[in-house]
Amino acid sequence: AAEASLSGGLWTVVFSRPLVGGVGDVPLEAGKTYTVGFAIHDDYAAARFHHVTLNTSFALDDPAATINVSAQ
């Protein structure tokens, strides 16, 4: 699932999914680092316009990762 909001010119996007996931999903475990990438597309641009990330590190409870996910 994903939720997005715009406030003061800053977009905040929250992605969520079960840690175990479903068929074809990679199970997410604390202590492991994963490589992820995101693409953001602007549907209302005069031409096709998008930004992508490359080799972004993602982890559960690891401040060394670019994206550190912690329990709420």
Side-chain angles (χ1 to χ4, degrees), residues 9-30:
L10 178 68
W11 280 100
T12 300
V13 180
V14 177
F15 296 99
S16 62
R17 61 155 267 202
L19 292 177
V20 175
V23 175
D25 287 342
V26 173
L28 302 176
E29 301 175 31

